[in-house]
Amino acid sequence: MSNASVLNNSEKNKKSQYSIAFYNMENLFDTVDDPDKLDNDFLPNADRRWNEKRFKNKVKKLGKVVNNIGYQDIHHSPVIIGLAEVENLEVLKALTATKFLKDKGYDIVHYESPDERGIDNALLYRKDYFTVISSKAHTLYLTDDKGERDYTRDILYVHGTLEKEEIHILVNHWPSRRRGAEETAFRRMAAAKRNQEIVDEILEKDPEARVIIMGDFNDDPHSESIKELTSKGLYNPMELLLTKYAGTLNFRGEWNLFDQILISYNFLQQHGNSFRFLEAKIHNPLEVQEYKGRSKGHPFRTYKGRKYLGGFSDHFPVYSIFTIE
């Protein structure tokens, strides 16, 4: 496991520990045609031949991954996990009903996004530990080269309590680099600024609010969009996890760390702080990696182009461990 830590092992043992995670599930679509979405690639009669058997296989595998995130560290499945690339509430219900998650008590926060492909963000949380106070989908307004609306994913905001400690969580999936990293950078900068606006609104009501921003940012920790957030009062514990040999996704032999969890600095306070950040990691055990060929060690994805591989996702999940006294 790749990890970054701020506390030693002796400190870990004195506190209760909880993991908060994020996972891009790579096109978790059902097999039903939705006329309002561009889901035609994920239908039984499409070139990819996406059918019920393949859907159930993917959901089962993803359920196992979610269950295992952080388990070797704290013997406890994530209490909160943000998700990207899920089509609708029904696929989330199928995920939480898998044999790996059905007894964990996960509930769902989900809103339909205006994204043209129909992929949304969501939050799963374990009801025994986390209580939702409020939630909202914040729209990210973008325009294309013609000045027309460019529909993308909403920013999911959830305010709640983890073991009576209040936290504010933003779940993101920022615009892609499909037309080139530099050519599309302004879109991700707009997403960063929209997140900052939401954080400012939170802090205006509660200057001591604890904030977590997670997501697939389609940018690395050193990118200008992420620096926009870290320059305004957020800490990125995952900055050192991106190396020549490790990340959360691999494109043409190069690693990226698009999947990140940023936190407000009050999680780092040393004294009089009952709710603290402990460490950040990439969940990349061998079972979620390609096991042979040129892509050995990369995320084991569901499809490579239109070829069905039967894997999990083209991203590794990330997670952070927190301690609560």
Side-chain angles (χ1 to χ4, degrees), residues 157-207:
Y157 166 61
V158 180
H159 174 206
T161 57
L162 176 59
E163 297 288 27
K164 299 182 181 180
E165 297 281 355
E166 281 195 47
I167 48 174
H168 301 260
I169 303 167
L170 301 179
V171 184
N172 290 260
H173 185 190
W174 290 1
S176 76
R177 296 183 168 198
R178 191 168 294 112
R179 298 178 184 175
E182 292 185 9
E183 291 81 358
T184 58
F186 74 95
R187 289 183 168 91
R188 292 182 294 281
M189 180 59 77
K193 291 183 177 179
R194 184 70 186 104
N195 273 265
Q196 189 59 54
E197 289 173 359
I198 298 167
V199 172
D200 288 343
E201 292 172 7
I202 294 168
L203 295 178
E204 186 174 348
K205 296 177 182 178
D206 179 7

Side-chain angles (χ1 to χ4, degrees), residues 98-155:
T98 59
K99 67 178 183 179
F100 301 103
L101 301 183
K102 65 181 181 180
D103 296 327
K104 301 293 183 179
Y106 279 106
D107 208 342
I108 302 164
V109 181
H110 167 263
Y111 294 87
E112 286 288 339
S113 276
D115 180 79
E116 292 177 348
R117 290 183 56 225
I119 54 174
D120 307 327
N121 298 323
L123 191 86
L124 304 184
Y125 64 95
R126 297 178 68 181
K127 294 178 290 185
D128 289 345
Y129 304 96
F130 184 76
T131 301
V132 174
I133 296 173
S134 65
S135 65
K136 181 179 180 180
H138 288 272
T139 301
L140 174 60
Y141 287 99
L142 297 173
T143 56
D144 60 20
D145 298 336
K146 299 178 182 178
E148 297 177 352
R149 174 84 181 273
D150 186 3
Y151 292 94
T152 189
R153 280 76 62 177
D154 289 335
I155 301 165

Side-chain angles (χ1 to χ4, degrees), residues 57-74:
N57 180 57
K58 182 177 174 80
V59 166
K60 180 181 176 182
K61 287 185 171 182
L62 291 173
K64 184 177 181 180
V65 176
V66 170
N67 179 64
N68 290 343
I69 294 172
Y71 206 91
Q72 74 171 36
D73 300 286
I74 60 174

Side-chain angles (χ1 to χ4, degrees), residues 258-284:
F258 290 171
D259 309 270
Q260 301 167 60
I261 301 173
L262 283 60
I263 60 176
S264 51
Y265 272 91
N266 46 12
F267 282 108
L268 305 177
Q269 292 172 357
Q270 294 288 326
H271 303 293
N273 186 8
S274 60
F275 189 9
R276 294 186 61 195
F277 165 76
L278 178 63
E279 55 190 331
K281 293 190 175 186
I282 301 170
H283 181 74
N284 55 1

